[in-house]
Amino acid sequence: MTSTDEGGPGASAAWWRRAAWKFWALLICGVLGWVVFVVGLVAAIQNGRNLHAYQAEPHQQIAATVTGTVIREQLSRSSTYELTVTAADGASRIEFPRDNPIVRRARFGTLVTLEQWHGTTVAVRAFDIRVQTTRSPSVALPRSLGYALGGAGFGLIGSALWLLERDRTRYAPRREAVCVALTFDAMILLAAALLVIRDPLRESRFTPWGLSTAAAGCVAGIGVGLWHYHRSQRNPPRHGRHSAIG
């Protein structure tokens, strides 16, 4: 067996050249993810305070006329649902978090009522329907929590895979099992974050079901970690490098 096979200096240098970019990529992903998590959490705390005041204080009702609508549905990016209205204080564009009957049925000249709180349009009333806008604290709070969940997901993926890559020369089935379980749970968190961001008010029947499934998936992540641990115990590596992610 050559010195390279035995893990000599040449093997270490070659391994580092192959793995260095993974270290940096995973480290950056993890750090950015945790930064987004902290920012989202701080925003959620502030939005929670705003929601309390929003529910306790009166809202101003202003009559307006619809002058245009924008519906842009996309799979790769966030869809757009907007109303352009004209009120006594001028024209404004109102964004909604998702599809709704008002933006679908409104036409040029349709009369609507703008519900304002602290000078911000938080809801629109028309056709005996009330729809909250993206500026409503009821929408902002779950969205900020969704961004926090997404940040936690990326942070966990980066951190867990970074630990796996760092210890790829060491046979540590328990640590690997924990990292695999965390990575699985992180992917579930990313899916849940996407659901919350796209439907913050959980108006779609699919969203509560999807969030319940995500919660069950996080519990299932423990089983995935145990499965990986038992597999590693049955088939330990005989020699050489060992890594759960190749």
Side-chain angles (χ1 to χ4, degrees):
M1 183 178 295
T2 65
S3 60
T4 301
D5 293 334
E6 293 174 353
S12 299
W15 169 80
W16 174 252
R17 284 195 297 269
R18 288 194 300 267
W21 69 270
K22 295 182 182 180
F23 276 106
W24 286 109
L26 294 172
L27 182 61
I28 292 172
C29 177
V31 171
L32 290 179
W34 291 120
V35 169
V36 172
F37 168 74
V38 172
V39 172
L41 195 59
V42 171
I45 294 173
Q46 181 60 47
N47 289 328
R49 295 172 181 170
N50 292 340
L51 180 60
H52 179 73
Y54 165 77
Q55 294 173 339
E57 297 174 0
H59 303 162
Q60 185 180 9
Q61 309 294 321
I62 298 177
T65 303
V66 174
T67 57
T69 61
V70 176
I71 299 176
R72 188 180 298 114
E73 295 179 315
Q74 304 174 98
L75 294 177
S76 58
R77 292 181 294 175
S78 298
S79 300
T80 301
Y81 303 97
E82 293 182 356
L83 278 182
T84 303
V85 301
T86 300
D89 56 352
S92 60
R93 294 172 59 185
I94 302 172
E95 297 183 5
F96 299 94
R98 66 185 307 272
D99 194 10
N100 61 79
I102 292 181
V103 75
R104 287 284 181 182
R105 296 168 59 182
R107 298 293 182 269
F108 182 85
T110 300
L111 297 178
V112 297
T113 301
L114 308 183
E115 185 177 320
Q116 293 192 344
W117 175 72
H118 290 189
T120 301
T121 301
V122 294
V124 177
R125 295 180 182 271
F127 313 113
D128 296 325
I129 301 170
R130 178 180 181 270
V131 177
Q132 298 191 69
T133 71
T134 55
R135 305 297 298 274
S136 169
S138 298
V139 173
L141 175 58
R143 274 197 163 178
S144 55
L145 289 174
Y147 287 118
L149 282 176
F154 278 110
L156 281 177
I157 287 177
S159 302
L161 295 183
W162 181 83
L163 284 174
L164 285 177
E165 192 65 26
R166 188 194 67 175
D167 293 338
R168 64 182 295 163
T169 58
R170 183 187 309 170
Y171 177 55
R174 292 183 180 178
R175 179 176 297 179
E176 284 189 3
V178 172
C179 290
V180 168
L182 290 178
T183 303
F184 183 86
D185 285 347
M187 296 175 66
I188 298 295
L189 288 179
L190 291 175
L194 184 62
L195 285 175
V196 173
I197 293 172
R198 284 184 171 269
D199 187 14
L201 298 177
R202 293 183 292 179
E203 296 172 316
S204 172
R205 289 179 295 179
F206 173 77
T207 302
W209 177 84
L211 292 176
S212 299
T213 303
C218 287
V219 177
I222 300 175
V224 173
L226 291 174
W227 168 80
H228 180 83
Y229 175 75
H230 289 302
R231 190 188 67 168
S232 299
Q233 290 288 81
R234 290 196 304 268
N235 302 298
R238 296 181 180 179
H239 60 81
R241 292 187 297 271
H242 178 68
S243 174
I245 60 176

